[in-house]
Amino acid sequence: MILGSILNPVNSSMLAVALIPIGRSFGAPPSQTAWLVSALYLATAVGQPVIGRLVDSYGPRLLYLTGTALVGAAGLLGMFAPNLGMLILSRVLLGFGTSAAYPASMFLLRAESDRTGLKSPSGILAALSACSQVIAVIGPTVGGLLISAGGWHLIFGVNVPLSAACLVLGAVRLPSLATLKEVSGVRPAQRTDAAGMVLFAVMLTTFMLFLMSPRAGTWYLPVLSVAAGTAFAVRELRTPEPFVDLRVLRGNAPLLATYGRQLLAYTTTYAFLYGFTQWLEEGRSLSAQTAGMLLLPMSAAAVVATVVTGRRAAVRGKLVVGALVQLAGCAALLFADAASPLWLLALIGAVAGIPQGLNGLANQNALYAQADPARMGSSAGLLRTFTYLGALAASAANAAFFRDGATTEGLHHLGWLLLAVAVAFLVASVADRSLHRIGRPQDTSDDGTDAPRPQRADR
């Protein structure tokens, strides 16, 4: 589970230091290389809930093995891509391929919880989050070393051995759907809402295409998005086995709030990861290797924050502290310039790492408590979808502010935007009263409210 779940963060984070070298290799400005970021996250934002729903229907094993095999193929394509377009295609394939492991993991954890009666496997959830955090924050350093050793092609090549390892371990260790039904009573969804999946994909894709390059000539994209979204809502409210049960979400305000916080948190996280790193290389004139090394304190801070708080199921304190430190990190960007000493830049990275170690873990624990057990795979996929919606928003912001290069002025404009997002995240965390009871011994409902939680038919 852990090895599969790190496939997405390793491909996300290593690219941060490769955007400038790739742009130089293909003669592309940051506004064009931003599509390497957007392609992965657009594919993942669509793929996570779709594959999560398929996991609910067909079990984790088949989807896990198929997805991780696609990661290896995408890695090979990226290594030998002759132009930027093919490289973007490889990122799309990576997005879909890495979408299977996390929903599969959450499905397996819920099945094991049903079998053993363990209410919340916070230690395992913390391990999944910690490993993803570690990979995400050391990725720029590893990517810098790989680029210095053999060029940016190597950051795509590492997917081949990782994919092979996932395939071997998955084939040997992952239980079949029949086994899960026998030992834990898991009952898969009876139908797959293909029409709902297609409408969801059209709605999201058209909206993100417009967001990446908003202009009058593409007015039809948001119109198509609204039309697809309306058709999607009507479809999901009427079908007996919907892809996204909007009726359940409508009555589950805490879960909706968790999705919203996830979007805000990762807008800041990814804008910092890609924007600050590009500025280090271009605005501060550092090499990819040096820029990657400067982000090591961010890695250490995120790991420490996750390890120290990971086994505590309570979430509200993590979110409030993460929000306050996130505000400090965004404000620090306003004071960075081409003359800033390296120790100060490393300190800014360390401050930014603390909320990375707190916010994602807290939202993951909240989702585990709030989601309908029968839809854990698709609910977990939707959480990742909102993660990557934040990444797409961050990519659009970086493309807008770095249109003519990763300049100090663009970094400061980005900092002001991120301050506003961080304030919104703080307000959302403080205002959500349902968070008080999640993880406390006297908790009587998994979602931290007094409302009864939706139950599976076999309970």
Side-chain angles (χ1 to χ4, degrees):
M1 289 191 298
I2 288 174
L3 187 60
S5 294
I6 69 172
L7 291 176
N8 194 279
V10 75
N11 281 287
S12 302
S13 56
M14 287 196 303
L15 186 72
V17 294
L19 289 173
I20 298 298
I22 289 173
R24 291 170 181 164
S25 177
F26 293 120
S31 57
Q32 292 183 17
T33 57
W35 279 104
L36 293 169
V37 179
S38 300
L40 176 77
Y41 294 130
L42 182 58
T44 311
V46 173
Q48 283 279 356
V50 170
I51 295 177
R53 187 58 176 154
L54 294 176
V55 168
D56 288 335
S57 299
Y58 302 106
R61 179 185 172 91
L62 174 63
L63 276 302
Y64 179 97
L65 294 176
T66 303
T68 51
L70 187 58
V71 169
L76 287 173
L77 178 62
M79 282 186 68
F80 301 105
N83 52 55
L84 186 62
M86 291 299 292
L87 203 59
I88 292 172
L89 176 60
S90 77
R91 296 283 290 178
V92 171
L93 296 178
L94 280 172
F96 284 115
T98 59
S99 293
Y102 182 71
S105 297
M106 296 297 283
F107 185 99
L108 286 167
L109 288 177
R110 173 54 66 182
E112 186 68 2
S113 177
D114 289 346
R115 186 182 71 84
T116 63
L118 180 64
K119 181 180 179 182
S120 176
S122 57
I124 301 176
L125 289 172
L128 283 171
S129 181
C131 290
S132 294
Q133 291 286 352
V134 169
I135 293 299
V137 291
I138 69 172
T141 304
V142 175
L145 294 174
L146 289 173
I147 291 171
S148 65
W152 58 262
H153 302 82
L154 290 183
I155 70 170
F156 290 87
V158 297
N159 287 290
V160 178
L162 286 175
S163 171
C166 286
L167 286 171
V168 172
L169 289 174
V172 172
R173 301 297 301 172
L174 290 182
S176 65
L177 182 59
T179 301
L180 286 173
K181 289 193 291 186
E182 179 181 349
V183 301
S184 63
V186 167
R187 290 189 179 182
Q190 299 302 311
R191 297 176 58 188
T192 300
D193 181 18
M197 293 178 180
V198 171
L199 289 170
F200 179 82
V202 172
M203 173 187 68
L204 195 58
T205 301
T206 51
F207 176 71
M208 289 305 161
L209 287 174
F210 177 77
L211 184 63
M212 283 300 299
S213 183
R215 59 182 186 273
T218 56
W219 60 268
Y220 57 90
L221 289 175
V223 173
L224 286 174
S225 181
V226 171
T230 302
F232 172 73
V234 172
R235 163 77 186 182
E236 299 308 277
L237 289 172
R238 292 181 177 178
T239 185
E241 286 282 345
F243 165 49
V244 178
D245 195 341
L246 298 180
R247 291 160 295 195
V248 172
L249 290 178
R250 183 174 55 192
N252 196 341
L255 182 59
L256 289 173
T258 295
Y259 288 148
R261 286 193 308 272
Q262 190 81 342
L263 187 152
L264 294 171
Y266 280 91
T267 296
T268 302
T269 294
Y270 283 108
F272 184 94
L273 176 64
Y274 291 111
F276 186 61
T277 305
Q278 287 186 85
W279 176 81
L280 287 175
E281 294 183 53
E282 193 165 6
R284 188 58 176 78
S285 301
L286 301 178
S287 67
Q289 182 178 3
T290 304
M293 294 298 292
L294 267 180
L295 295 181
L296 273 179
M298 183 172 69
S299 167
V303 172
V304 169
T306 301
V307 171
V308 170
T309 66
R311 299 191 69 87
R312 300 176 184 176
V315 302
R316 189 173 186 273
K318 297 175 190 175
L319 290 171
V320 172
V321 173
L324 292 172
V325 179
Q326 188 172 252
L327 277 170
C330 295
L333 291 178
L334 303 177
F335 300 96
D337 57 38
S340 296
L342 296 184
W343 67 265
L344 178 60
L345 301 177
L347 179 61
I348 293 175
V351 172
I354 295 173
Q356 290 182 27
L358 293 174
N359 296 336
L361 176 60
N363 284 329
Q364 178 179 268
N365 287 345
L367 173 125
Y368 188 87
Q370 295 163 343
D372 177 1
R375 293 183 175 273
M376 183 56 67
S378 52
S379 296
L382 274 175
L383 184 70
R384 286 297 179 96
T385 291
F386 279 87
T387 297
Y388 302 127
L389 287 176
L392 285 166
S395 179
N398 287 336
F401 293 126
F402 292 161
R403 188 167 300 277
D404 298 319
T407 63
T408 299
E409 181 183 9
L411 180 70
H412 291 169
H413 290 159
L414 180 64
W416 283 112
L417 173 66
L418 297 186
L419 267 177
V421 175
V423 169
F425 180 83
L426 176 61
V427 171
S429 300
V430 173
D432 189 351
R433 298 179 61 187
S434 70
L435 298 175
H436 285 280
R437 300 180 61 185
I438 293 180
R440 294 188 177 185
Q442 68 270 27
D443 207 2
T444 57
S445 68
D446 285 343
D447 64 358
T449 69
D450 293 328
R453 177 174 171 174
Q455 298 294 318
R456 283 212 321 248
D458 59 321
R459 288 192 170 184

